[in-house]
Amino acid sequence: MRTLNAGLAGAKSRIKVARTGISAPRSVRQRLAGPASTPPAAALPLNSIIVGDCLDELARLPPNSIDLVFADPPYNLQLEAALSRPDQSLVDAVDDDWDKFASFSDYDDFTRAWLDAVRKIMKPDATIFVIGSYHNIFRVGSILQDQGFWILNDIVWRKANPMPNFRGRRFTNAHETLIWAAKGVGAKTYRFNYELLKAGNEDCQVRSDWLFPICTGAERLKDASGRKIHPTQKPEALLARIMLAASNPGDLVLDPFFGSGTTGAVAKRLGRNFIGVEREPSYASAAQARIAKIEMLPHEAIATVPSKRSEPRIAFASLVEAGLIQPGETLVDEKRRHAVIVRADGAVSLGAIAGSIHKIGALAQGLPACNGWTFWQFFRDGKYEPIDALRAKARASLREAAE
């Protein structure tokens, strides 16, 4: 794992903004055909905002270097005229040039180009979150699959305070969709902090529908006249859930459409490194000032906790061999309906039948499978506990021995 002081120590005092030279523009189709000249791979610009076109700047980053990608690309909203409220006041809609494309084909070319560039610099076990609306997310999803990404989830961000539908001709557009994908179908070791997410959700699995308000109040960046600096600033809570779910402290998070810097602000607070690419200097400047004010949370609040899947495998026989449980000892289920005898070889006996703690647990209940670690309990000091507590003790001993 990359150490925090590799980049975050310097980020406490300043955020670097790298400005690149402007060359003659090349069309998306030209870029898909290949660069005019292959740029040399640069060292990782940790905790930097790179001002430039993402298709050019991503090509300069080293291959297989990024742990997590969050992408909030142009939505291609195809607005044909100004939007007004019933009182005829104008809606501050997204009508910037960066969201305009001549055709769906041009938008698809652009999407293929930036996804191809991102995929090359992702580590084999990295994942990507792409957010969009009904205008673009289905096209993005199709291209993701065409390029070999493996979709893990689609997530609905349900807005607690959506903008109403002023014309009354459609349902209120109250959500956006995120696609979470691995680099390929063979990526089996991608990060997903399942146990920690579940623990923070009152021991319930976190669902794929997320309820957050849109970005408002003090979190919304505004200029001196009180106007929004960026029209589509995402809430920090959304990015925090993404990073807590799919990265660890010290990981490197890339945002190729950095905008107002929400990704960088959250990454710094949660002890992650980041790289942002943003073509608009005014957005980059606002993001730089925003991130400079952020303080990283204490180590204890963000430290990685080993997941059960990452911990060493402990066989039940190892507990017997270590003397943590004795041959001949009786194990029972929580309701004391079934009892088995621990054998010297690490199996357990139910009457004349012997087998693993899992097989015998399933047999006792008449079920096809059973987690014997949580089903069977031992008796110590006047109380019963699952034998999983002994497994945790054995793992702790292994960690102490390794130190």
Side-chain angles (χ1 to χ4, degrees):
M1 180 183 297
R2 187 178 296 103
T3 58
L4 294 181
N5 59 14
L8 287 168
K12 290 185 177 181
S13 59
R14 63 188 177 91
I15 300 295
K16 297 171 284 184
V17 177
R19 297 180 183 272
T20 61
I22 304 298
S23 57
R26 302 171 65 226
S27 71
V28 172
R29 291 185 186 276
Q30 286 175 321
R31 295 176 190 185
L32 282 171
S37 60
T38 303
L44 282 170
L46 295 182
N47 304 308
S48 294
I49 305 171
I50 303 171
V51 181
D53 186 284
C54 71
L55 299 184
D56 295 326
E57 302 308 328
L58 293 175
R60 294 184 170 93
L61 296 177
N64 302 312
S65 59
I66 303 299
D67 297 295
L68 175 66
V69 179
F70 172 76
D72 185 7
Y75 285 10
N76 192 24
L77 296 179
Q78 309 121 40
L79 294 180
E80 297 178 353
L83 298 179
S84 59
R85 300 180 178 87
D87 63 2
Q88 301 308 306
S89 61
L90 292 178
V91 176
D92 189 11
V94 180
D95 55 2
D96 304 80
D97 288 342
W98 49 258
D99 193 60
K100 296 176 181 177
F101 294 82
S103 65
F104 286 128
S105 178
D106 281 358
Y107 185 79
D108 291 348
D109 287 344
F110 170 72
T111 301
R112 290 188 191 95
W114 75 258
L115 280 173
D116 180 64
V118 162
R119 192 164 187 265
K120 289 175 181 176
I121 59 177
M122 290 171 62
K123 291 180 179 178
D125 60 352
T127 59
I128 179 173
F129 285 81
V130 186
I131 189 169
S133 67
Y134 67 87
H135 303 86
N136 71 321
I137 197 64
F138 303 108
R139 309 185 78 87
V140 172
S142 176
I143 293 169
L144 275 166
Q145 291 181 314
D146 289 344
Q147 292 191 339
F149 289 93
W150 186 254
I151 295 178
L152 301 170
N153 276 114
D154 67 323
I155 298 161
V156 173
W157 166 29
R158 189 160 58 93
K159 301 174 182 178
N161 51 343
M163 182 184 294
N165 183 265
F166 296 110
R167 296 179 180 176
R169 301 288 292 174
R170 303 182 184 184
F171 296 107
T172 298
N173 186 25
H175 77 278
E176 293 183 29
T177 301
L178 297 100
I179 296 176
W180 181 37
K183 188 173 182 178
V185 64
K188 303 297 184 184
T189 58
Y190 59 85
R191 278 169 290 286
F192 181 51
N193 297 317
Y194 169 80
E195 288 89 357
L196 290 179
L197 290 171
K198 185 177 178 181
N201 196 42
E202 299 185 0
D203 291 323
C204 295
Q205 292 184 345
V206 175
R207 293 159 43 121
S208 62
D209 53 337
W210 298 355
L211 179 64
F212 293 113
I214 61 175
C215 188
T216 57
E219 187 180 319
R220 169 69 77 170
L221 299 189
K222 297 181 179 180
D223 61 20
S225 63
R227 185 178 175 83
K228 293 183 293 186
I229 287 178
H230 195 287
T232 63
Q233 181 179 336
K234 295 301 183 288
E236 292 187 8
L238 180 69
L239 270 295
R241 180 169 292 184
I242 288 170
M243 291 187 207
L244 291 171
S247 71
N248 293 326
D251 280 356
L252 179 54
V253 184
L254 169 72
D255 187 337
F257 308 98
F258 203 60
S260 60
T262 303
T263 298
V266 175
K268 185 178 178 184
R269 181 176 290 116
L270 296 180
R272 276 72 169 163
N273 293 295
F274 72 89
I275 296 174
V277 182
E278 174 53 51
R279 79 175 199 179
E280 302 292 337
S282 60
Y283 293 162
S285 178
Q288 178 189 17
R290 174 188 186 182
I291 297 168
K293 299 175 183 178
I294 300 295
E295 294 291 334
M296 189 173 76
L297 291 172
H299 172 74
E300 296 77 11
I302 56 176
T304 302
V305 177
S307 67
K308 291 182 179 179
R309 292 183 180 182
S310 67
E311 298 212 278
R313 182 179 179 276
I314 301 291
F316 184 67
S318 299
L319 305 185
V320 178
E321 293 163 354
L324 294 175
I325 197 161
Q326 299 298 321
E329 196 167 338
T330 299
L331 306 178
V332 298
D333 69 295
E334 183 180 14
K335 296 183 179 180
R336 317 291 183 262
R337 294 174 301 181
H338 310 288
V340 293
I341 302 298
V342 177
R343 292 166 48 92
D345 53 16
V348 293
S349 296
L350 180 64
I353 304 172
S356 70
I357 54 174
H358 312 296
K359 180 179 179 180
I360 297 301
L363 181 65
Q365 300 174 85
L367 298 175
C370 169
N371 183 350
W373 291 109
T374 55
F375 181 72
W376 296 114
Q377 300 193 354
F378 67 100
F379 187 76
R380 293 282 193 286
D381 301 324
K383 63 179 182 179
Y384 285 95
E385 286 188 80
I387 56 175
D388 200 27
L390 297 176
R391 181 169 63 164
K393 187 174 181 180
R395 284 175 171 157
S397 297
L398 286 176
R399 285 194 294 269
E400 291 175 5
E403 294 172 358

